[in-house]
Amino acid sequence: MDWLRVMAIVLLHLFHTGMMFNTWDWHLKSPVALPVLEPTMGVLHLVRMPLLMLISGAGTAFALRRRTLGAFAKDRTLRLFLPLVFGMFVVVPPQIYVERVFRGQFQGSYAAFYPTVFNFVPYPAGSFSWHHLWFVAYLFVYCLLALPLFAALRTARGERFLARADAWLSSGWNVAWLVVPLLLNRILLRDFPETHALRDDPRTFLHYGLLFFYGHLMGRCPGVWTRLVALRRGMAAFAAAVLVAAIAVESLPPVAEMAVGSVFLWSTLLAVLGYARQHVRASSPWLQRAQALSYPFYIFHQTVILVVGLVLLHLPVGPWALFGAVLAVSFAVTWALSEGVSRVSWLRPFFGLKTRTSQRAATLAPGTVG
């Protein structure tokens, strides 16, 4: 799971850098587009955030092994809600400033712009937003809403349900049938656009809510992981076949396109989980460090991409060289900032990191789940 989380966040950084260079609408755009990026980015868009949510759901199952529900709720408030609020006032506003300057909607210093955040007018009309931190907001809400479910799963009846679920998911291709609710949600709520604004985003909210629940369920069902290893090649082949068929057919009816997207997404996620389970058997120092910095890296990355992108925008180089420069410089700066905040005790909680005291206690307690 640590390896997959790091991989997903690296792909996220690559994707958001690409957003500056494709032809899709985004906060900052290169003067010369690279539309050749779009097919790959289209596939990444289907998979990157769902993979992160599935992993996060599984993480809640691991976290609850040695925590009471009260301790879990407190931990998620400190590690999700606090960084979200901090991010909305400190990390996200530079993104809005860059966009306004780029589009000629604001002229002046950042110091002159920043007070507009406290008008609390939601973006895009105003300067108050959670932008890419929508994922943190949704995950926090899922954790709170799921507390009664987590409590029920701790009862004798809940344990019996988990045993039956594990037996069913571990049999044949049954785990593949979990795609059905994802597909039905996508079809039945297809008229609702993806806004990431929580209150008017039912299709996306339920989509990621299902993935969160699936991740938690799989984290509580040990038998399913052995089955995923056995199915990994078949799932990967099926996902590839679906993708090739979709590319071969230039245009699909909307419902068929939704079905293809949902099937490709779920089969890809299952294949990735199966391959990771089979081949990633041991941790390493670099992985441990990357995992420790993955959360602050996620919080910082989009802001850094936009600021670096604005600074480098008019370099006298071609679009590929500019893409490489923005990608390399923004990655290095994001990593450096993540390293920096991890070493400053009072900053750590604002980026979802445990205090050094808590971290030492967790290290000294064998089997403690972070």
Side-chain angles (χ1 to χ4, degrees), residues 141-258:
V141 172
Y142 295 147
C143 288
L144 293 188
L145 291 178
L147 288 175
L149 171 64
F150 296 158
L153 291 177
R154 288 187 164 185
T155 64
R157 180 178 294 180
E159 293 291 340
R160 290 193 296 271
F161 166 78
L162 288 172
R164 290 194 297 269
D166 193 13
W168 187 79
L169 291 172
S170 304
S171 176
W173 287 68
N174 286 347
V175 68
W177 285 107
L178 295 181
V179 72
V180 174
L182 292 170
L183 175 58
L184 289 177
N185 173 68
R186 194 170 182 184
I187 292 174
L188 296 177
L189 298 180
R190 62 184 177 275
D191 293 334
F192 291 91
E194 186 174 10
T195 69
H196 297 157
L198 193 62
R199 59 183 176 81
D200 61 352
D201 197 24
R203 176 170 59 86
T204 305
F205 183 79
L206 287 174
H207 178 71
Y208 284 97
L210 284 168
L211 291 166
F212 173 83
F213 171 70
Y214 288 171
H216 183 84
L217 183 63
M218 293 166 74
R220 302 287 291 269
C221 295
V224 74
W225 298 95
T226 302
R227 190 61 194 155
L228 288 177
V229 171
L231 295 175
R232 68 190 189 281
R233 294 189 182 90
M235 287 294 180
F238 187 64
V242 169
L243 181 60
V244 169
I247 294 172
V249 179
E250 293 186 2
S251 180
L252 289 171
V255 173
E257 185 176 346
M258 294 172 195

Side-chain angles (χ1 to χ4, degrees), residues 6 90 139 149 192 215 224 284:
V6 170
V90 177
L139 181 56
L149 171 64
F192 291 91
V224 74
S284 61

Side-chain angles (χ1 to χ4, degrees), residues 5-18 20-21 26 286-287 289-291 293-309 312 322-340:
R5 185 181 291 107
V6 170
M7 182 187 75
I9 290 176
V10 169
L11 289 176
L12 190 61
H13 187 92
L14 177 64
F15 180 88
H16 280 145
T17 304
M20 181 178 164
F21 293 87
W26 205 52
W286 75 264
L287 178 59
R289 190 59 186 158
Q291 161 59 12
L293 297 180
S294 62
Y295 195 8
F297 191 98
Y298 171 78
I299 292 172
F300 274 128
H301 84 281
Q302 184 165 297
T303 297
V304 174
I305 289 169
L306 285 166
V307 173
V308 168
L312 301 182
L322 181 59
F323 173 78
V326 173
L327 180 63
V329 173
S330 63
F331 189 92
V333 172
T334 304
W335 187 278
L337 288 171
S338 302
E339 282 280 7

